[in-house]
Amino acid sequence: MADYEVNRGRQPEIDCMKALVIIIMIFLHVFEGCTTRTSVTYYVLTYLECLTGAGTFMLCMGIGARYSRHQMPKDYLRRGFELLTVGQALNLVRVSLPYLIIWWINGDSAYLSNALLIIQADILSFAGFAFMLLALLKRMRFSDGAIVLTGIIMNAFAYVLFRYFHTTGNFLVNQLLAYFIVTDAEAYFPLCSYFVYVAFGYALGRIYLRIRNKDALSVRVLLLCGPIAIGYYLLRAFVPISVLPEFNSIEMYIMKPGSDALANILMSVFLLAVFHILLRHKESPMLVNHLSGHINQYYCLSFILIVPMSILLVAVLGERMEGNIMPMLYSLIVLTACYFIISWVDKRKLPNSIIKLKSPWYVVAVTTVWLLTFAIVAYVYPRITEYATIWNNYLDY
């Protein structure tokens, strides 16, 4: 390990990891939204998501923050606000507006309830708040160790709090708190549960920058992290642990308490070593670079293609896809469509996100997103008496 930075530039194994994560996410989102969720492929995807998935993406996000050319607290703060705004724009397009339209058509209150999920703790919302918190910790001159310790304490706090307190009795308050802790509302990626991944990734990024011999280190990681992570997951899968959620359950997914988060991190580091050894100093494939370099665009665009199909199947036709072949085919169609649309936008040098717009369009777009968010919450909340949450199978609507 060097005393200074010797390992700048693209890291092919990280690109491979991010590409793997986004492919798993897209396929899983298709199977969750468009199928009966009973196929073998669906269960395989949920297990893959459990072992890597969102936690791995957040770890890579932490590493990427260390590799960024702009690392001042104000840079992280701006990046956080922009990601939060992109997340709100996505929620408008994939959740609120479609479900409002369906509600206006058929009057089913379940769809109106789903429209309130414009304020949900999604992965982009988490990323926004994580960068803002990282900005605060950097401004307070926290060391890498202190940032990691903060993440661990937050993770433990979130889990203990949920065991004894998870509702205020007011859905709107619960929904807003769900950005930070697990509540009775929609809370896939609360900040307190998942910031530990960004913290570890940020600390790992410093190590990455100073690695002299990545080959030798990768072999050590394979021998150490692999057996520990695999052994832990085998134990979790077959031995019930009373103080931890059931293996591969929704509680495990959204809370990632303590040892589950650590095992997820070790598995991610193990896979980084595997990808490095497989590539053997070669550049990662062009498709991998495309997926990694546009991961947010793939995430957002794939949802825009998946949600209309889900609404068509459930709300209009009243049925979902069965088996493996059709959802696998549609997953490939979504992935391929995303590739060509993103490539077309890049080729014409068009802005691929609202945060890439030039002023005054940037100001107009950001202002519109937040005004619509507040307007929809004000319109929907007083009109509903039932609330769509992660705990009441709202996805079945």
Side-chain angles (χ1 to χ4, degrees), residues 267-283:
M267 178 61 75
S268 301
V269 174
F270 168 73
L271 289 175
L272 285 174
V274 170
F275 281 126
H276 172 74
I277 291 173
L278 289 176
L279 289 171
R280 294 191 182 280
H281 306 286
K282 296 178 182 178
E283 294 293 327

Side-chain angles (χ1 to χ4, degrees), residues 75-307:
D75 299 320
Y76 288 153
L77 187 63
R78 178 182 176 85
R79 178 64 172 157
F81 174 73
E82 290 177 341
L83 284 169
L84 195 59
T85 302
V86 171
Q88 289 305 114
L90 177 61
N91 287 341
L92 276 168
V93 175
R94 70 169 175 172
V95 178
S96 291
L97 295 180
Y99 283 120
L100 277 173
I101 291 171
I102 294 296
W103 174 67
W104 285 328
I105 292 173
N106 67 15
D108 189 335
S109 61
Y111 298 109
L112 182 62
S113 176
N114 278 15
L116 197 60
L117 294 177
I118 191 172
I119 45 173
Q120 61 173 316
D122 188 46
I123 197 167
L124 290 176
S125 308
F126 163 84
F129 283 118
F131 268 102
M132 291 179 182
L133 177 56
L134 194 57
L136 175 62
L137 297 179
K138 290 285 289 181
R139 183 69 179 84
M140 296 171 64
R141 301 185 184 277
F142 273 39
S143 65
D144 288 0
I147 291 174
V148 170
L149 181 60
T150 300
I152 293 172
I153 292 173
M154 289 170 63
N155 178 274
F157 169 77
Y159 184 58
V160 171
L161 186 65
F162 183 76
R163 298 276 296 212
Y164 299 101
F165 168 81
H166 53 262
T167 181
T168 64
N170 181 285
F171 177 78
L172 187 59
V173 175
N174 286 343
Q175 189 68 68
L176 293 172
L177 285 176
Y179 283 115
F180 309 101
I181 59 175
V182 183
T183 70
D184 270 352
E186 172 73 0
Y188 271 111
F189 305 108
L191 180 67
C192 286
S193 295
Y194 272 88
F195 183 72
V196 65
Y197 290 98
V198 178
F200 267 95
Y202 190 72
L204 182 61
R206 183 175 185 272
I207 297 173
Y208 240 87
L209 285 164
R210 302 185 180 200
I211 297 174
R212 285 188 183 276
N213 189 341
K214 199 184 288 185
D215 292 342
L217 185 60
S218 294
V219 172
R220 294 174 189 171
V221 167
L222 285 175
L223 296 176
L224 178 63
C225 296
I228 294 175
I230 293 170
Y232 176 83
Y233 280 120
L234 288 173
L235 178 69
R236 283 287 276 124
F238 297 106
V239 180
I241 302 175
S242 60
V243 296
L244 294 176
E246 181 183 349
F247 180 70
N248 202 30
S249 63
I250 193 65
E251 290 89 350
M252 178 183 179
Y253 183 76
I254 65 175
M255 285 186 274
K256 293 290 186 182
S259 57
D260 288 342
L262 178 59
N264 200 168
I265 290 168
L266 290 176
M267 178 61 75
S268 301
V269 174
F270 168 73
L271 289 175
L272 285 174
V274 170
F275 281 126
H276 172 74
I277 291 173
L278 289 176
L279 289 171
R280 294 191 182 280
H281 306 286
K282 296 178 182 178
E283 294 293 327
S284 51
M286 182 183 69
L287 177 59
V288 167
N289 290 336
H290 196 270
L291 286 161
S292 173
H294 299 82
I295 192 166
N296 287 345
Q297 286 79 21
Y298 273 94
Y299 182 80
C300 294
L301 187 55
S302 65
F303 262 118
I304 294 172
L305 297 174
I306 293 169
V307 169

